[in-house]
Amino acid sequence: MGAQGKLSNSSNSMQRVKVYRLNEDGKWEDQGTGHVSVDYLERSEELGLLVIDEEENDAILVHRISSEDIYRRQEDTIISWRDLELSTELALSFQEASGCSYIWDHICGVQRNLHFNTLGSLDVARSSSMEAIEAAGSLQSNDESFHGVNNELRELPPVELSALPLILKNVVECGITDQMRAAELILQDQEFFTKLMNLFRMCEDLENMEDLHMIFRLVRGIILLNNPQIFDKIFGEEYILDIIGCLEYDPDVPSVQHHRAFLKEHVVFKEAIPIKDSSVLSKIHQTYRLGYIKDVILPRVLDEATMTSLNSIIHANNGVVIQLLKDDTSFIQELFARMRSSSTSPESKRNLVLFLHEFCSLSKSLQLVQQLRLFRDLASEGIFDIITDMLQSQDIKLLTTGTEILILFLNQDPNLLRSYVIQQEGNSLLRFLVKGMITDFGEDMHCQFLEIIRILVDSYTMTGSQKDTIIEIFYERHLNELVDVIASSCPPKSRSQAVRKSSGSGSRDRSAAAPKPEIISNICELLCFCVLHHPYKIKCNFLMNNAIEKVLYLTRRREKFLVVAAVRFMRTIISRNDEHLIRHIVKNNLLKPVIEAFVENGNRYNMLHSGVLELIEYIRKENIKPLILYIVNSFWEQLLKFERLDSIHGLKLKYEQSLEPCETKNAVNIVDCRKRIDERALEKEEEDYFNEDSDEEDSASAHTQNHGASPNLPNGTKVAHSSVRPGSGGLVDYDDDEDDEDYNPPTRKPESATEGEKATDSSSKLKRRTPDSKSEESELSKKNRLEQQSEDGKVAVVSDLPSRDTAAPPAEDTGGHSNDISTEKETTAGESSTKCLTNSTDSRQTSGDNCQSTPISNSSQEMTVNGNNNAGSEPYPVR
């Protein structure tokens, strides 16, 4: 048996393995330890893996090598696969990494020959497989001579055709440590690449495709070593074309790729201005070829680390080229002189502009400080004058290039362009930018113009006086022009519906003359940007020129995204929460077109529907009361059918809540107004009251105690609801009062009295409360008496606190009772009040808290506070 014949060769420690099998629990089970070999299976002409137990000489594993890609090599010492016949996972764990490499090479060789079986007979395949095994065995023995005792790579085999497989194995198929060692040995051999390129030329002349494929793998493996010093050699002027030639013979590609012929014949190097520095030319050529290798030849092969290294080389080369050209002052001066010259042909000027654009683009490879210095030098040389001329060109390519150069400058230092616009006579550059934004060039260039203008007027990046100047220029000369473009592109209100439904030639002619809808949308976007960044300036412009109404003409357009743009514009204005703008919106009914567009949209769920609902929801959440009242009062009949929507329903609730405080405030204002009418009448009654004896005070206090407990004021003073109030506003109604002897106070109407009855009651009070004229001497004497008694602590302070419980003023009764008490009861109440005041004198001697102040009625709270009881509180003013 072949297995037994191979047994004597299996005792090598390099082939000693352990066999593992994956059980149902997902754990690896040890099947035994033995020696592995590749041999023909018993009674079969197929090659397989045989593992013989090292003690019992029994076969632990017999596996037929499959042509399918089922084998995996792990950690240099493990080969695993899924056995399709046994439906399980198997693994071989080698004692030595070199033994694993030896068996892995055998498996790969057998698989390669199995693929060739379809092209030849089984006998040819059998002999080829055996030759592959023998060749691999000899290769293994030769490989051992180049490794040390610890299996470390000592030196590389000589660069010869016969040694190419061994070199390839040491460079490509070894571990990371050996690869790093191989890179060091390659760098130490100064003639390695020279000899390798000589072999390549010889094989190419002989058309030895097998060796050319091997050289391709070797060169590709050397590039994947990702060694910067090796890159400097192979990508230098001496070897780079031969390296590209080696990469033409990819065994995975059916035909040979002619990369060198393409680079020599089809790639043309154009010099807009002759470059005299040879180092600059060398770097330019190297950069292009390196990019060709990275992007065309090996894009699928390169790993991320190698790709990053190649990009770093390209970036560094660009930086060197730009630095050398920047330092050459004669080169820059000649460049701008040719671009200004009228004798320069259009084709040459076009090439100069393209070169200038590439020159500015590659400046990103410089450091930030050097970039700023370069752009300032270009600005001082007059690059903006050249761009101004480019923007007037009819060549779309030149227009695009000019705008791209401006964007590069704005991204680097916007103040350079702002300074030029301010200093330029007539501001022609800014005028051309605005014109370009509203002109259809057919390639969406208006978006580039929008970006340039937006960066140019961005207030967050402006400094000093430059900020106000550039914005002033834009608003005075160009903003109204943009708004007028919107207004002129919209149909009149009377014809808006007809235009939406019309499909005649007249409508097509009008729309053909109007700007593209995308341009109008960009203008709206710019206006929203200005609202956010220039709130004061935009407010003045909008209020003076009625620009908001013009922009809202877009709600008449057929294009829904333009209607949504108008809604978004209104949403941006309202988000500023500016009082003047909100008042302007309400005054001019500017939300009407928005609401009408929403209602016309109906129940269709689209951007317009969502945009208007979001606008209403924002107004509700921010509680912008003028807009809430305006929307509900003006458009609720139209919005009623949408009340099921949460935003509309929430707006109505917010509207109702905003009305409640207003009604209460109105009621309080009525009470305060009538209270002020009573003030003059109160003065006389209070003065008469203080002229009476203290017995009357005790009587009034006793009367108050008979009507139950009194609530406390916030300062701790207790108050009680009095039963009667004087008709003239005082505390006690005296019979000798000349002003009121002929007056009969009216009875208080019930709470449900009508407004007409309340008005009649109020008018009768006004007649009764008209004060009699007093002499000045009498007034002064009474006021002095009041001040003296107030100092002695014997003054009862009268304070009228407005009540919010009712809007109707109460009728004045003697004791402070509710006004439904008849006139006859008022006299009795006056007597009771006198008793209360008399008793209060005695009660103050025992307890300062027992005597209550004159009570406060629910409608107009009036109270008399004892001076002894409010020592720790703030005193009420005395009228």
Side-chain angles (χ1 to χ4, degrees):
M1 187 177 71
Q4 296 295 334
K6 201 67 179 171
L7 181 60
S8 59
N9 298 329
S10 301
S11 59
N12 193 330
S13 62
M14 290 195 310
Q15 302 174 20
R16 188 168 184 266
V17 296
K18 276 192 174 185
V19 180
Y20 290 92
R21 181 174 182 175
L22 190 67
N23 59 18
E24 296 178 354
D25 298 333
K27 297 181 180 180
W28 291 99
E29 294 181 349
D30 188 355
Q31 302 295 315
T33 304
H35 297 86
V36 63
S37 63
V38 178
D39 201 351
Y40 286 100
L41 301 180
E42 186 177 1
R43 300 176 183 178
S44 174
E45 296 181 352
E46 296 178 336
L47 291 171
L49 292 175
L50 302 176
V51 180
I52 307 300
D53 191 288
E54 61 182 357
E55 296 180 357
E56 300 179 359
N57 292 334
D58 293 333
I60 301 176
L61 174 66
V62 178
H63 169 69
R64 178 179 59 85
I65 296 177
S66 174
S67 61
E68 299 181 7
D69 187 17
I70 60 174
Y71 303 97
R72 297 290 181 269
R73 184 176 178 181
Q74 306 173 18
E75 299 180 359
D76 297 334
T77 58
I78 298 175
I79 298 176
S80 62
W81 69 93
R82 178 171 180 79
D83 196 315
L84 301 179
E85 297 177 357
L86 301 177
S87 298
T88 185
E89 295 282 343
L90 296 174
L92 298 179
S93 178
F94 289 80
Q95 181 176 344
E96 300 289 344
S98 56
C100 181
S101 299
Y102 177 74
I103 297 300
W104 180 257
D105 292 339
H106 279 31
I107 294 174
C108 294
V110 172
Q111 283 186 314
R112 184 165 53 250
N113 287 291
L114 287 175
H115 288 296
F116 292 154
N117 284 343
T118 56
L119 304 177
S121 62
L122 293 177
D123 293 337
V124 174
R126 178 187 179 97
S127 61
S128 300
S129 300
M130 291 304 299
E131 291 175 359
I133 294 175
E134 293 174 359
S138 63
L139 182 64
Q140 179 69 23
S141 61
N142 293 333
D143 186 30
E144 293 175 0
S145 62
F146 298 101
H147 288 76
V149 179
N150 57 353
N151 203 28
E152 181 182 357
L153 185 64
R154 293 180 302 177
E155 60 181 359
L156 285 174
V159 184
E160 300 174 352
L161 284 178
S162 59
L164 284 179
L166 189 57
I167 297 175
L168 180 63
K169 180 179 183 300
N170 289 323
V171 172
V172 177
E173 301 177 3
C174 59
I176 297 178
T177 304
D178 289 341
Q179 287 181 350
M180 296 175 62
R181 178 60 180 165
E184 294 177 1
L185 294 175
I186 290 173
L187 292 173
Q188 291 175 5
D189 188 356
Q190 300 294 330
E191 301 295 327
F192 179 86
F193 288 108
T194 303
K195 295 178 181 178
L196 182 62
M197 294 302 105
N198 291 333
L199 285 178
F200 165 70
R201 298 188 192 98
M202 182 182 66
C203 293
E204 190 175 32
D205 294 339
L206 298 175
E207 297 182 356
N208 185 353
M209 300 302 296
E210 183 178 355
D211 289 336
L212 287 174
H213 290 166
M214 193 174 299
I215 292 175
F216 170 86
R217 295 191 185 96
L218 179 59
V219 172
R220 183 181 63 183
I222 291 174
I223 292 176
L224 291 176
L225 290 176
N226 194 19
N227 188 285
Q229 296 176 340
I230 291 179
F231 286 159
D232 291 340
K233 281 194 172 185
I234 63 177
F235 295 143
E237 191 70 25
E238 182 180 0
Y239 298 117
I240 188 168
L241 286 178
D242 289 331
I243 292 295
I244 292 175
C246 294
L247 296 176
E248 293 178 353
Y249 297 93
D250 188 351
D252 296 332
V253 179
S255 59
V256 178
Q257 305 298 307
H258 303 285
H259 299 302
R260 288 171 294 176
F262 175 80
L263 292 175
K264 291 178 180 179
E265 299 174 4
H266 298 282
V267 177
V268 179
F269 176 62
K270 294 183 179 181
E271 290 182 274
I273 294 181
I275 300 176
K276 302 175 183 179
D277 193 341
S278 59
S279 61
V280 174
L281 291 174
S282 176
K283 289 293 182 182
I284 292 174
H285 293 312
Q286 182 190 38
T287 301
Y288 181 82
R289 292 164 181 172
L290 192 56
Y292 186 83
I293 294 174
K294 176 179 70 73
D295 298 329
V296 179
I297 301 178
L298 299 176
R300 297 178 292 106
V301 177
L302 299 177
D303 53 25
E304 185 177 355
T306 307
M307 187 76 74
T308 303
S309 299
L310 297 181
N311 287 330
S312 299
I313 296 175
I314 294 174
H315 185 80
N317 286 352
N318 291 333
V320 171
V321 170
I322 297 300
Q323 185 67 39
L324 292 175
L325 293 179
K326 181 179 73 69
D327 295 340
D328 189 354
T329 56
S330 61
F331 178 83
I332 299 296
Q333 292 175 358
E334 184 180 359
L335 171 64
F336 282 94
R338 289 194 178 188
M339 296 183 71
R340 293 192 188 97
S341 176
S342 58
S343 61
T344 305
S345 64
E347 184 64 25
S348 298
K349 187 170 292 188
R350 179 188 176 95
N351 292 334
L352 289 171
V353 169
L354 296 177
F355 171 80
L356 182 61
H357 172 256
E358 187 174 2
F359 183 77
C360 295
S361 300
L362 295 180
S363 64
K364 297 177 182 178
S365 303
L366 299 175
Q367 296 181 357
L368 184 59
V369 177
Q370 296 177 343
Q371 291 182 46
L372 291 173
R373 188 176 299 129
L374 172 62
F375 280 106
R376 288 171 183 170
D377 294 341
L378 294 177
S380 62
E381 290 289 339
I383 189 173
F384 293 130
D385 293 329
I386 295 174
I387 294 177
T388 303
D389 296 335
M390 293 165 56
L391 295 180
Q392 304 177 58
S393 173
Q394 300 299 323
D395 190 347
I396 301 299
K397 182 64 176 178
L398 290 181
L399 276 172
T400 305
T401 305
T403 55
E404 290 176 355
I405 294 175
L406 284 180
I407 291 176
L408 289 173
F409 270 84
L410 290 173
N411 291 333
Q412 188 64 43
D413 187 3
N415 293 325
L416 292 175
L417 182 57
R418 294 189 185 117
S419 300
Y420 175 80
V421 171
I422 294 173
Q423 297 171 5
Q424 187 186 31
E425 295 182 2
N427 310 114
S428 57
L429 178 57
L430 184 57
R431 184 174 70 254
F432 289 137
L433 291 175
V434 174
K435 181 179 178 182
M437 182 178 175
I438 61 179
T439 304
D440 182 14
F441 293 102
E443 296 185 4
D444 293 336
M445 287 186 57
H446 49 83
C447 297
Q448 291 181 321
F449 286 105
L450 168 67
E451 185 66 21
I452 293 172
I453 296 175
R454 183 160 52 185
I455 298 176
L456 200 59
V457 299
D458 186 0
S459 59
Y460 294 158
T461 59
M462 296 182 186
T463 56
S465 60
Q466 183 187 75
K467 177 177 180 180
D468 298 330
T469 306
I470 188 68
I471 294 178
E472 191 75 22
I473 294 174
F474 175 73
Y475 275 82
E476 286 185 358
R477 304 184 182 182
H478 305 294
L479 184 65
N480 293 334
E481 178 183 357
L482 296 175
V483 175
D484 291 339
V485 170
I486 294 179
S488 61
S489 67
C490 300
K493 184 176 181 181
S494 58
R495 296 167 45 199
S496 60
Q497 296 295 334
V499 170
R500 292 181 184 178
K501 299 178 180 180
S502 174
S503 59
S505 59
S507 176
R508 287 194 297 268
D509 294 341
R510 188 199 63 78
S511 60
K516 290 176 60 176
E518 292 79 7
I519 295 177
I520 302 299
S521 177
N522 284 343
I523 295 176
C524 286
E525 184 176 350
L526 180 61
L527 292 177
C528 293
F529 178 86
C530 293
V531 170
L532 296 176
H533 288 73
H534 319 131
Y536 177 76
K537 195 69 180 177
I538 200 77
K539 177 176 68 174
C540 297
N541 185 279
F542 283 177
L543 295 179
M544 294 175 60
N545 301 317
N546 202 19
I548 301 177
E549 183 176 1
K550 294 179 181 179
V551 176
L552 291 177
Y553 289 167
L554 290 175
T555 56
R556 308 172 188 170
R557 293 289 296 253
R558 292 178 301 172
E559 299 85 357
K560 289 297 181 183
F561 72 93
L562 291 182
V563 182
V564 174
V567 175
R568 184 168 59 250
F569 171 75
M570 179 59 72
R571 167 68 170 81
T572 306
I573 292 177
I574 294 177
S575 67
R576 301 304 305 174
N577 206 3
D578 185 271
E579 180 182 355
H580 298 88
L581 288 175
I582 292 176
R583 189 184 303 118
H584 179 73
I585 292 172
V586 175
K587 179 181 178 181
N588 294 276
N589 197 17
L590 295 182
L591 281 180
K592 181 180 179 181
V594 176
I595 300 299
E596 288 179 349
F598 175 75
V599 173
E600 182 182 352
N601 185 65
N603 294 323
R604 286 187 288 271
Y605 186 72
N606 48 25
M607 288 294 295
L608 174 59
H609 181 86
S610 301
V612 177
L613 288 181
E614 197 277 336
L615 173 63
I616 294 175
E617 182 68 12
Y618 176 81
I619 294 173
R620 184 191 67 83
K621 286 186 176 180
E622 296 298 323
N623 195 21
I624 307 177
K625 292 184 179 180
L627 292 180
I628 294 174
L629 298 175
Y630 160 59
I631 293 175
V632 177
N633 290 334
S634 303
F635 310 111
W636 182 247
E637 293 182 0
Q638 298 171 269
L639 297 176
L640 184 60
K641 61 181 179 180
F642 299 100
E643 191 176 7
R644 68 183 184 282
L645 302 175
D646 293 340
S647 299
I648 305 296
H649 181 68
L651 183 72
K652 184 61 182 302
L653 292 179
K654 184 67 71 173
Y655 169 79
E656 295 173 352
Q657 293 173 3
S658 63
L659 291 181
E660 293 177 0
C662 295
E663 294 176 355
T664 306
K665 183 177 180 180
N666 291 337
V668 173
N669 290 339
I670 295 173
V671 174
D672 292 341
C673 179
R674 293 176 178 177
K675 183 191 71 174
R676 286 193 296 269
I677 297 175
D678 292 344
E679 288 179 354
R680 296 180 62 187
L682 283 171
E683 291 180 359
K684 177 181 180 303
E685 299 299 331
E686 289 170 356
E687 292 169 3
D688 293 340
Y689 164 75
F690 288 120
N691 292 332
E692 296 298 328
D693 297 334
S694 60
D695 294 340
E696 295 177 353
E697 297 179 4
D698 297 338
S699 175
S701 176
H703 174 74
T704 303
Q705 293 177 357
N706 294 334
H707 285 79
S710 304
N712 291 333
L713 290 175
N715 60 1
T717 306
K718 295 183 178 181
V719 298
H721 297 282
S722 58
S723 57
V724 193
R725 293 184 58 191
S728 61
L731 296 177
V732 182
D733 188 11
Y734 296 98
D735 294 337
D736 58 348
D737 194 341
E738 296 178 359
D739 296 335
D740 297 334
E741 60 183 357
D742 296 332
Y743 171 71
N744 292 326
T747 58
R748 174 178 172 83
K749 300 297 181 181
E751 291 292 333
S752 61
T754 62
E755 293 295 329
E757 294 172 343
K758 294 179 180 178
T760 304
D761 189 17
S762 176
S763 62
S764 64
K765 293 191 189 84
L766 291 175
K767 294 178 181 179
R768 182 174 64 92
R769 292 169 184 169
T770 304
D772 193 7
S773 60
K774 301 292 182 179
S775 64
E776 295 183 0
E777 296 179 359
S778 177
E779 291 290 337
L780 291 174
S781 62
K782 292 179 180 180
K783 289 181 180 180
N784 293 335
R785 193 183 314 120
L786 282 173
E787 294 176 357
Q788 181 178 359
Q789 293 181 1
S790 176
E791 293 175 357
D792 296 338
K794 298 179 181 180
V795 180
V797 182
V798 179
S799 176
D800 291 343
L801 299 178
S803 175
R804 299 170 64 117
D805 295 339
T806 177
E812 305 291 344
D813 295 331
T814 304
H817 269 301
S818 59
N819 293 343
D820 55 355
I821 301 177
S822 63
T823 307
E824 296 177 356
K825 293 183 178 180
E826 292 180 6
T827 305
T828 306
E831 296 174 358
S832 300
S833 177
T834 304
K835 295 179 180 180
C836 177
L837 293 174
T838 304
N839 295 335
S840 64
T841 305
D842 300 334
S843 61
R844 281 196 300 268
Q845 297 177 359
T846 57
S847 175
D849 296 335
N850 291 336
C851 182
Q852 305 297 328
S853 306
T854 302
I856 301 174
S857 64
N858 292 335
S859 59
S860 179
Q861 299 169 350
E862 299 182 0
M863 55 189 167
T864 303
V865 182
N866 192 312
N868 296 333
N869 293 341
N870 56 359
S873 62
E874 182 178 354
Y876 290 91
V878 178
R879 288 192 295 269

